[in-house]
Amino acid sequence: MTAMAGDASREKKSAPAGGADVTFTFPASGPEEETVRRALLQAVDHLLARQHAEGWWKGVFRTDVSYDAHDLFLRHSLGVLDERVAQASGRWIRSQQSADGSWPLAFDGPGHLGTTVQAYVALRLAGDSPDAEHMLRCAAWVREQGGVEASQLTARVWLAMFGWWSRDRLPMVPAGIIALPGWAPLNIYAFSAVMLVALVALGIINEHRPVRPPPFGIDELLAVSDASVRAPTSAPAGGREGALRRLNAVAHAWHRRVPRPVRKAAANACARRLVEHQEADGSWGACTPMTTWVILALHLHGYSPEHPVLKAGWKYPEECAAWPEEDVRALQTVHSPVWDTCLSITALLDAGLAADHPAVVKAADWLLTRPTDRPGDRAVRRPGLAPGGCSFQFHNQNHPDNDDTCEAVLALRRVVHPERTRVDDAVDRAVRWCLGMQSGNGGWAAFDADNTSALPGRLPFFGFGEFCAEPPTADVTAHAVEMLSACGTERHAATRRAVRRLLDRQEADGAWYGRWGVNHLYGTGCVVPALVAAGVPHDHTAVRRAVAWLTSVQNGDGGWGEDWQAYVAPAHRGRGPSTPSQTAWALLALLAAGERESAAVRSGVHWPADRQTDRGTWWEPQFTGTLVPGAVAAHYGYYGHLFPLMALGRYVQRTGHGSDAASGPAPT
């Protein structure tokens, strides 16, 4: 399995000699700290050289190869799969195969059956022979795991569209769900923002029940007879799985009895909603997987390829296609410019770059154009809340999120901008928006407020369990607390409620769970700086327990790492090969806790300082980001650079957290 060439490369090249605009507040304590400072200056130069002319930064964001496969599946289903895209995508998918024949969710992880089945079919579409050595290894691995019969739901949805799986054995997502009112237990807004888009699209797809068989079969992936796979099976006599199967059988039978005009009206309503929620870049949710489902749904519903909606929609996956080599095509799941730019500003200022440096002022100017100006889907639960939040991507007016908004405020407040009033107005709007998005339990989720129903996760619509809804999480709540504290509102009732929730959510070993990063190292790295910024003292029991846990899981080489499997296997908590980003998260927590002079921090800061490439960055092929815990891992191209730069900066500048250096007045 290989990493994308556009990631932080191991290639050794000379970094520019610069860093003249970085100021160190204190003299170096000795030769060891001088080494850390040299690494920091190289990292600053590396990052400054990669700023876009418009002011933003953006790393390559990718997940496993299943979404590359979906892109080929869509093109086949619509009859537009051309040889160049198929061959180039096939080369990328093939390059990510593990030695045992499978494909993992994360770099060097164990094989994942659903991803492997989809990768295999995609390679068949790309022209690979089932008799090729890599395909034989894959087929044997799939059969050993139970065959397509045992694969995850998403794989089976596509297999049904190719005529290889009975639709009666798939969950029924009726288009009529769109008509359920907001107070109904199972309405579309009971699902998370990302799942909602797919839910509406699947309502249309299930109405049309498309089948477009490829010119080959997949008998070699079957652990049971082909007839058994195609035919519905009876539900088990008891248990939750049996109850769900019986409920699904009832839903299928009911759906067939609904008058066709009623079903058509529901599908029309789904299509209208999708069209109304298309973003300026042509996408849905600024996300390639969701856009794939919607393009398929609207095509099935009668939209021609020349319709402006579909023509715009097709542009988005093309814009998300990275070509690490001339004949290799890898699909990025999303673009991450807002997130990467916020973190870049913070990292540069942590390092000691002047707060009025042209690079950070230009980045701030770009960020000031990012706040959303429409209510978006969250208006269902917060109808009176004025817009003001930021989203993750270039264009995503429908789904601003608390995480990006908080990081934008933390970054903007520290920039010495010539138009201070403009910055303060944006910060005020963002803070008010975030305060309005606090859930009743005191926490914050990424995209929604009070979206805590357990019902969506109990139904087999997506196979993502509890993550079909969006309850508050410790990491997002921590960023909100840190932001509010930086704004001088650490005594605000909302902040105190959030602090209490964070303290209550600490786990028995002293760590916090990380929803959007892997995993307890991320959660703990987010929470400890936030608590200290909010006034929790270094000697507080929660802080001491966190320090003890971080120290206990430090690797012998001085770094920290946590395997993606920590989401499903407790033995992996805080355990794994050291990585740049995860080492930095641990250091950020320890520095905030007042542990700068500890042995753990001294050895920890030298882990990245000693492993920096001559280009001034770090090599991190591991997936340390998360979209769906245990199901969809993410690789942020800049994580392996930005977080080490933050940690080294706070170490040499003697700051515990970014809020120490916040500037500007508190919001009104």
Side-chain angles (χ1 to χ4, degrees):
M1 182 178 184
T2 61
M4 186 179 290
D7 298 339
S9 176
R10 286 189 271 193
E11 181 183 357
K12 297 283 188 177
K13 292 183 179 178
S14 297
D21 295 314
V22 171
T23 300
F24 295 119
T25 308
F26 302 93
S29 59
E32 290 187 345
E33 188 173 336
E34 287 287 1
T35 300
V36 175
R37 291 185 179 207
R38 285 194 296 271
L40 180 146
L41 292 176
Q42 277 197 307
V44 168
D45 288 337
H46 180 94
L47 186 57
L48 289 175
R50 281 151 184 79
Q51 186 177 25
H52 190 272
E54 294 179 3
W56 45 264
W57 284 270
K58 182 181 75 68
V60 174
F61 183 104
R62 59 191 179 88
T63 55
D64 63 81
V65 300
S66 59
Y67 298 139
D68 298 87
H70 292 183
D71 184 64
L72 297 190
F73 297 166
L74 173 67
R75 292 167 188 271
H76 164 77
S77 298
L78 272 58
V80 296
L81 180 60
D82 65 81
E83 185 174 356
R84 177 173 180 262
V85 168
Q87 292 291 325
S89 297
R91 290 187 186 95
W92 171 251
I93 294 171
R94 206 176 302 121
S95 74
Q96 301 303 293
Q97 188 177 23
S98 299
D100 64 3
S102 70
W103 277 263
L105 293 177
F107 181 83
D108 275 357
H112 183 264
L113 182 56
T115 299
T116 300
V117 168
Q118 292 171 92
Y120 182 93
V121 175
L123 289 181
R124 291 297 312 274
L125 287 173
D128 287 22
S129 167
D131 296 325
E133 189 273 336
H134 67 287
M135 300 293 274
L136 291 171
R137 278 190 291 122
C138 174
W141 186 89
V142 169
R143 291 194 301 270
E144 289 171 1
Q145 304 303 312
V148 295
E149 170 79 12
S151 63
Q152 286 75 16
L153 178 60
T154 302
R156 287 181 275 125
V157 170
W158 284 106
L159 295 181
M161 284 190 270
F162 294 156
W164 298 330
W165 192 266
S166 169
R167 284 196 168 274
D168 288 338
R169 299 182 65 191
L170 294 176
M172 167 51 64
V173 182
I177 194 173
I178 197 171
L180 294 178
W183 50 262
L186 189 67
N187 66 86
I188 60 172
Y189 298 104
F191 292 80
S192 69
V194 174
M195 303 299 176
L196 188 158
V197 179
L199 184 80
V200 175
L202 285 172
I204 296 175
I205 293 169
N206 283 343
E207 178 62 30
H208 293 277
R209 299 170 69 88
V211 175
R212 187 184 179 98
F216 54 83
I218 56 167
D219 288 355
E220 62 272 23
L221 301 186
L222 304 179
V224 293
S225 71
D226 184 60
S228 174
V229 167
R230 290 172 183 266
T233 60
S234 59
R240 180 172 178 269
E241 180 68 21
L244 289 174
R245 288 194 181 185
R246 287 191 292 273
L247 178 62
N248 193 51
V250 171
H252 276 282
W254 176 84
H255 181 73
R256 288 190 288 267
R257 287 170 172 75
V258 174
R260 183 168 180 78
V262 175
R263 301 205 319 259
K264 184 177 180 180
N268 287 340
C270 289
R272 283 195 302 272
R273 188 189 193 283
L274 292 174
V275 171
E276 291 167 358
H277 282 70
Q278 188 174 31
E279 298 290 344
D281 59 4
S283 74
W284 282 267
C287 174
T288 52
M290 299 304 104
T291 301
T292 296
W293 290 118
V294 176
I295 290 175
L296 176 60
L298 293 180
H299 168 80
L300 294 172
H301 202 62
Y303 284 70
S304 75
E306 297 304 310
H307 192 285
V309 169
L310 284 191
K311 288 182 71 174
W314 270 113
K315 290 180 181 179
Y316 185 75
E318 294 300 337
E319 292 174 355
C320 285
W323 293 78
E325 299 174 30
E326 184 177 349
D327 58 352
V328 178
R329 180 178 184 268
L331 200 63
Q332 297 181 76
T333 312
V334 296
H335 293 305
S336 55
V338 174
W339 186 248
D340 290 344
T341 301
C342 293
L343 296 180
S344 294
I345 293 173
T346 296
L348 290 169
L349 297 180
D350 281 348
L353 192 71
D356 61 351
H357 189 281
V360 295
V361 173
K362 180 179 284 189
D365 281 332
W366 183 80
L367 278 182
L368 290 171
T369 68
R370 298 297 97 193
T372 56
D373 57 11
R374 69 174 75 159
D377 284 341
R378 54 90 195 160
V380 171
R381 289 190 172 85
R382 296 292 187 269
L385 185 59
C390 295
S391 59
F392 186 74
Q393 307 95 333
F394 286 113
H395 302 284
N396 193 351
Q397 285 284 329
N398 291 299
H399 302 116
D401 68 273
N402 291 301
D403 231 5
D404 281 273
T405 305
C406 291
E407 291 300 328
V409 171
L410 285 166
L412 288 171
R413 282 181 52 79
R414 295 175 62 183
V415 177
V416 177
H417 196 280
E419 299 178 69
R420 191 70 223 179
T421 300
R422 183 174 165 225
V423 174
D424 292 342
D425 287 347
V427 167
D428 283 350
R429 291 194 302 273
V431 173
R432 285 196 293 268
W433 186 82
C434 281
L435 286 171
M437 291 294 289
Q438 187 176 26
S439 290
N441 61 17
W444 277 267
F447 297 97
D448 212 341
D450 293 317
N451 190 353
T452 57
S453 173
L455 185 56
R458 291 175 179 167
L459 297 175
F461 284 175
F462 297 106
F464 291 151
E466 62 185 299
F467 301 105
C468 288
E470 203 197 1
T473 64
D475 42 9
V476 180
T477 300
H479 289 153
V481 167
E482 188 173 7
M483 179 271 291
L484 292 171
S485 300
C487 293
T489 57
E490 65 270 18
R491 294 288 179 186
H492 192 288
T495 310
R496 304 324 300 167
R497 287 174 57 226
V499 167
R500 288 194 296 272
R501 177 170 175 81
L502 288 176
L503 294 174
D504 290 342
R505 302 297 289 181
Q506 188 175 27
E507 300 192 5
D509 58 7
W512 279 270
Y513 179 91
R515 163 63 179 86
W516 294 98
V518 184
N519 170 345
H520 296 85
L521 287 174
Y522 181 72
T524 308
C526 293
V527 172
V528 173
L531 291 177
V532 174
V536 175
H538 293 166
D539 61 358
H540 190 282
T541 302
V543 176
R544 291 298 95 201
R545 290 173 61 214
V547 168
W549 179 77
L550 288 168
T551 304
S552 73
V553 298
Q554 186 174 21
N555 288 331
D557 60 10
W560 281 265
E562 185 168 4
D563 189 87
W564 165 255
Q565 292 300 303
Y567 282 116
V568 295
H572 291 269
R573 291 166 60 99
R575 303 293 182 183
S578 298
T579 70
S581 61
Q582 292 170 322
T583 295
W585 296 337
L587 287 170
L588 292 172
L590 291 171
L591 290 167
E595 295 292 309
R596 184 182 186 277
E597 303 304 323
S598 69
V601 169
R602 286 199 305 272
S603 61
V605 295
H606 284 284
W607 191 92
D610 294 342
R611 289 164 175 78
Q612 190 177 36
T613 72
D614 288 347
R615 297 179 65 202
T617 189
W618 289 271
W619 171 247
E620 183 173 272
Q622 293 88 353
F623 286 40
T624 62
T626 306
L627 291 185
V628 182
V632 187
H635 183 275
Y636 288 76
Y638 275 5
Y639 268 22
H641 188 87
L642 297 178
F643 287 109
L645 179 54
M646 283 184 202
L648 297 183
R650 295 181 192 185
Y651 176 78
V652 302
Q653 302 293 356
R654 315 301 204 261
T655 56
H657 47 81
S659 299
D660 286 349
S663 62
T668 57

